[in-house]
């Protein structure tokens, strides 16, 4: 039975049953037991009638819908709270600039070519206030996904709208699979996945560690080997359990969910792991998910009635709308199958490519996290000074702190999953690149020089709060390592130990950045009038 017949298209089990309820009640009166039939056998029959049977997926669809809606709420809330600062009118990388560059690239017109290059409804909105557009799209997405989460109901219009809204935001943002593909990415990637040493480094070097990462990093070597072997089993072997019958499919679903829960507990990987859990829920049918719904609830009763009608052979003939939905479902399946041909070819290619979309709408793509594991953690630390001479040995440099990424060594790692601080994540990538490869880092420096509230709202600590803005800002490069639990450093409250590598970018001031900003069409920050 197609998922479109209930959750994605038609609402809920209750709405499906409503049309048949009169006939069902009439049929039930023909089976009401007489007083002479009361007894143990009658109780057993009653228990059987109130138990969900395996093989149907009405409640599964409700759980899937609510799970997807939860992810959407988190994603749209991240967009609402951070998009203006990152890609808004006064953001670090304004999306208006990006859209204009695409427009010039395709010939100066907003048409099918521009829409195919960057699919987004922003093309059709008023560009005079991108902040309002970004907020409006995020708020509509939060409202629709909140409705689906609370009610467990949705239709094609709602789900397509959520997909269009989110992809419209994703496609204009700054750069930032299937389990089997994920496993192949690793086994063909970094050597440490083959010699079973990747987990020796992962907890310390992942994008944004949490407090549990600190302790799991110090687990014994044999446990890390077991983790890596388990990873290969879960991603390369367990997925095939799906095709070995109901019980083995449920085993695979349970394994995959448990695996993702461990990842959620041990690191801040945004809503990535939460989203990866969603397809695993499809391994469980109504009988296995009934415990999530209170006994006697409307959803359970509706499913029982549907199962009863099916077992009695009273399933009604498909309506015209049902037939249309089936045609749409089959057509979509054929389209996705056709689009997936290059994905499958890439899957078995010796030059496998990860994190690539194979169509403009991102309908099919390849994803594989941590194909390579960094062996050392490096961080870029922004520092500012009020000294007029940045080369003065007596200049006092004060550090900015991000919301979640490592900075001050005594600050405890944060726990934010499934929420996501995008700038913190991007700083992780910037740390093993150069500032020439991540020019937006210099844009941040310029904003810090003017105490710009837009960028500072993405940070946790501004050392110049309530004071004159810094005269100079620089980027320092450090190696970070977890302190040893129980060591003298840990006893002093230090979660991290760090060692300076050198300069990430040299000290800059606003006047010196003027030409740099103009060459990139970035708005130059205001130079305060109280400057010397």
């Amino acid at each position: 039975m197609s998922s479109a017949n209930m959750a994605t298209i038609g609402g809920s089990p209750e709405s499906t049953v409503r049309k048949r309820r009169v006939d069902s009640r009439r049929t039930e009166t023909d089976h009401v037991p007489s007083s002479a039939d009361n007894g143990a056998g009658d109780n057993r029959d009653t228990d059987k009638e109130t138990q969900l049977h395996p093989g149907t997926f009405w409640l599964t669809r409700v759980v899937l819908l609510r799970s997807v809606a939860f992810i959407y709420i988190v994603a749209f809330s991240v967009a609402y709270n951070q998009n203006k600062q990152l890609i808004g009118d006064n953001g670090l990388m304004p999306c208006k600039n990006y859209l204009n560059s695409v427009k010039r690239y395709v010939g100066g017109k907003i048409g099918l070519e521009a829409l195919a290059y960057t699919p987004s409804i922003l093309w059709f909105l008023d560009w005079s206030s991108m902040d309002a557009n970004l907020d409006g799209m995020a708020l509509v997405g939060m409202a629709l996904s909140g409705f689906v989460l609370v009610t467990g109901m949705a239709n094609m219009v709602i789900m397509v709208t959520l997909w269009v809204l989110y992809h419209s935001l994703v496609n204009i943002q700054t750069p930032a699979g299937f389990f089997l593909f994920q496993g192949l990415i690793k086994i063909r990637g970094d050597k440490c996945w083959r010699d079973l040493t990747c987990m020796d480094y992962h907890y310390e070097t992942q994008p944004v560690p949490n407090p549990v990462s600190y302790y799991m990093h110090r687990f014994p070597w044999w446990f890390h080997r077991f983790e890596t072997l388990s990873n290969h089993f879960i991603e390369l072997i367990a997925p095939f359990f799906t095709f070995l019958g109901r019980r083995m499919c449920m085993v695979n679903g349970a394994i995959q969910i448990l695996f993702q829960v461990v990842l959620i507990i041990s690191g801040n990987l945004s809503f990535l792991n939460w989203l990866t859990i969603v397809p695993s829920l499809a391994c469980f049918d109504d009988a296995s998910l009934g415990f999530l719904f209170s006994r006697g609830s409307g959803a359970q009763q509706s499913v029982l009635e549907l199962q009863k009608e099916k077992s009695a052979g009273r399933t009604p003939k498909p309506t015209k709308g049902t037939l249309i939905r089936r045609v749409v479902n089959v057509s979509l399946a054929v389209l996705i199958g056709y689009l997936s041909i290059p994905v499958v070819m890439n899957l078995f290619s010796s030059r496998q490519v990860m994190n690539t979309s194979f169509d403009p709408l991102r309908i099919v793509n390849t994803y594989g996290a941590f194909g390579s594991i960094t062996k050392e953690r490096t961080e870029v630390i922004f520092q500012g000074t009020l000294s007029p001479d940045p080369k003065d040995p007596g200049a006092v440099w004060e550090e900015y702190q991000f919301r979640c990424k490592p900075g001050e060594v005594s600050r405890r790692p944060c726990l934010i999953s499934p929420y996501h601080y995008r700038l913190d994540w991007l700083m992780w990538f910037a740390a093993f690149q150069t500032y020439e490869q991540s020019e937006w880092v210099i844009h941040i420096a310029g904003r810090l020089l003017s105490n710009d509230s837009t960028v500072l709202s993405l940070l946790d600590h501004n050392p110049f709060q309530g004071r004159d803005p810094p005269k100079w800002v620089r980027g320092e490069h450090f190696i970070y390592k977890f302190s040893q639990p129980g060591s003298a450093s840990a006893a002093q409250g230090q979660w991290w130990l760090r060692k300076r590598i050198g300069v990430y970018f040299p000290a800059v001031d606003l006047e010196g950045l003027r030409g740099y900003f103009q060459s990139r069409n970035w708005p130059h920050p205001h130079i305060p009038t109280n400057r010397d």
Side-chain angles (χ1 to χ4, degrees):
M1 186 178 295
S2 170
S3 62
N5 290 340
M6 189 282 295
T8 309
I9 303 297
S12 65
E14 294 92 331
S15 61
T16 306
V17 164
R18 194 174 295 119
K19 300 176 182 178
R20 315 178 197 173
R21 184 159 288 163
V22 174
D23 292 337
S24 297
R25 287 174 178 170
R26 184 180 300 115
T27 304
E28 288 169 6
T29 58
D30 297 334
H31 294 83
V32 174
S34 65
S35 58
D37 296 328
N38 291 334
D42 185 42
N43 290 335
R44 284 194 296 270
D45 292 339
T46 302
D47 289 340
K48 290 181 67 176
E49 289 181 359
T50 58
Q51 289 181 349
L52 294 168
H53 305 306
T56 62
F57 295 87
W58 296 103
L59 298 180
T60 306
R61 291 162 187 152
V62 174
V63 174
L64 282 169
L65 267 182
R66 285 180 162 156
S67 300
V68 171
F70 171 73
I71 302 298
Y72 267 128
I73 286 179
V74 175
F76 281 117
S77 66
V78 171
Y80 180 73
N81 290 319
Q82 301 178 42
N83 270 1
K84 293 188 295 297
Q85 298 92 320
L86 294 170
I87 59 175
D89 292 317
N90 298 309
L92 288 173
M93 301 293 285
C95 62
K96 187 189 301 184
N97 293 353
Y98 173 73
L99 292 174
N100 277 322
S101 66
V102 173
K103 183 180 176 182
R104 289 192 297 269
Y105 177 76
V106 299
K109 295 181 179 180
I110 300 177
L112 291 178
E113 194 172 356
L115 193 61
Y117 191 91
T118 303
S120 176
I121 62 176
L122 281 172
W123 288 113
F124 310 107
L125 300 180
D126 182 7
W127 290 9
S128 63
S129 180
M130 277 299 187
D131 286 356
N133 294 336
L134 295 172
D135 280 352
M137 293 164 65
L139 289 172
V140 171
M142 291 171 67
L144 288 177
S145 51
F147 169 80
V148 177
L149 178 63
V150 172
T151 65
M153 297 188 295
N155 55 31
M156 180 180 290
V157 175
I158 292 177
M159 300 310 293
V160 168
T161 300
L162 287 170
W163 180 78
V164 169
L165 287 172
Y166 191 67
H167 276 70
S168 293
L169 295 173
V170 169
N171 289 331
I172 48 90
Q173 289 178 0
T174 51
F178 183 56
F179 298 116
L180 180 62
F181 185 82
Q182 170 94 337
L184 287 175
I185 282 289
K186 291 177 178 177
I187 205 71
R188 289 177 175 179
D190 200 314
K191 180 185 175 182
C192 69
W193 289 113
R194 296 187 293 276
D195 62 25
L196 308 183
T197 60
C198 275
M199 298 309 292
D200 293 349
Y201 313 100
H202 166 73
Y203 295 113
E204 184 177 70
T205 63
Q206 63 180 303
V208 186
N210 68 15
V212 178
S213 312
Y214 175 82
Y215 295 102
M216 293 191 72
H217 177 67
R218 298 300 181 182
F219 279 8
W221 67 269
W222 57 265
F223 184 82
H224 290 318
R225 304 298 182 273
F226 170 75
E227 287 181 298
T228 312
L229 277 174
S230 299
N231 177 91
H232 295 331
F233 171 78
I234 292 168
E235 293 183 342
L236 291 170
I237 299 175
F240 292 102
F241 293 177
T242 304
F243 310 105
L244 301 180
R246 175 177 178 264
R247 292 184 182 277
M248 291 304 293
C249 182
M250 291 170 58
V251 168
N252 174 51
I255 290 174
Q256 301 297 345
I257 291 173
L258 179 61
F259 179 49
Q260 297 304 319
V261 169
V262 171
L263 294 177
I264 290 169
I265 292 172
S266 62
N268 293 301
L269 296 174
S270 181
F271 46 82
L272 169 65
N273 305 117
W274 300 75
L275 183 60
T276 309
I277 287 174
V278 174
S280 299
L281 297 173
C283 293
F284 303 92
D285 57 18
D286 293 338
S288 56
L289 293 180
F291 73 95
L292 295 176
F293 300 81
S294 59
R295 194 173 183 85
S297 65
Q300 275 215 21
Q301 291 303 312
S302 297
V303 172
L304 286 169
E305 290 189 42
L306 289 169
Q307 290 183 342
K308 186 176 180 181
E309 289 184 9
K310 184 177 181 180
S311 62
R314 295 196 301 271
T315 304
K317 294 181 179 180
T319 63
K320 183 179 178 180
T322 301
L323 293 175
I324 292 175
R325 288 193 293 268
R326 289 179 181 176
V327 171
V328 172
N329 291 339
V330 172
S331 301
L332 287 174
V334 172
L335 174 63
I336 292 175
Y338 172 75
L339 293 175
S340 297
I341 292 175
V343 180
V344 175
M345 293 176 64
N346 179 69
L347 176 67
F348 295 102
S349 171
S350 60
R351 298 184 177 181
Q352 193 178 78
V353 180
M354 68 176 183
N355 301 335
T356 301
S357 293
F358 287 79
D359 68 279
L361 297 178
R362 303 175 187 250
I363 296 175
V364 296
N365 54 75
T366 55
Y367 180 80
F370 301 107
S372 297
I373 297 291
T374 52
K375 307 305 187 294
E376 286 186 328
R377 178 176 203 93
T378 58
E379 292 288 347
V380 177
I381 304 299
F382 287 93
Q383 298 176 343
T385 183
L386 293 170
S387 173
D389 182 6
K391 296 181 180 179
D392 182 0
V396 177
W397 292 91
E398 301 178 74
E399 296 187 1
Y400 293 86
Q401 300 295 329
F402 284 73
R403 291 190 179 276
C404 219
K405 89 173 190 71
E408 170 58 45
V409 295
S410 62
R411 191 174 64 165
R412 189 185 72 169
C414 67
L415 183 61
I416 56 167
S417 180
Y419 196 75
H420 182 37
Y421 292 125
R422 289 179 53 210
L423 186 57
D424 292 52
W425 187 282
L426 289 172
M427 288 300 299
W428 178 73
F429 288 99
F432 47 81
Q433 298 174 338
T434 65
Y435 75 87
E436 291 91 349
Q437 295 170 304
S438 305
E439 291 185 334
W440 49 269
V441 171
I442 305 301
H443 200 168
I444 293 176
R447 297 297 188 89
L448 297 180
L449 283 164
S450 62
N451 268 353
D452 181 77
S453 60
T454 300
V455 169
L456 287 171
S457 67
L458 296 174
L459 273 57
D460 184 62
H461 173 65
N462 171 21
F464 301 94
Q465 180 73 35
R467 303 159 58 192
D468 288 342
K471 285 183 166 54
W472 298 87
V473 166
R474 69 184 184 186
E476 292 286 278
H477 211 182
F478 290 87
I479 292 178
Y480 273 68
K481 291 183 177 295
F482 279 136
S483 64
Q484 178 73 42
S487 66
S489 299
Q492 295 171 3
Q494 295 183 12
W495 291 80
W496 296 95
L497 303 175
R498 75 180 190 182
K499 180 180 179 181
R500 184 177 181 272
I501 302 173
V503 174
Y504 184 80
F505 66 86
V508 294
D509 67 346
L510 277 179
E511 189 58 42
L513 287 177
R514 186 177 296 278
Y516 190 90
F517 274 51
Q518 288 176 346
S519 66
R520 288 153 180 80
N521 198 30
W522 295 343
H524 189 265
H526 172 66
I527 299 179
T529 56
N530 62 347
R531 280 284 182 93
D532 294 334

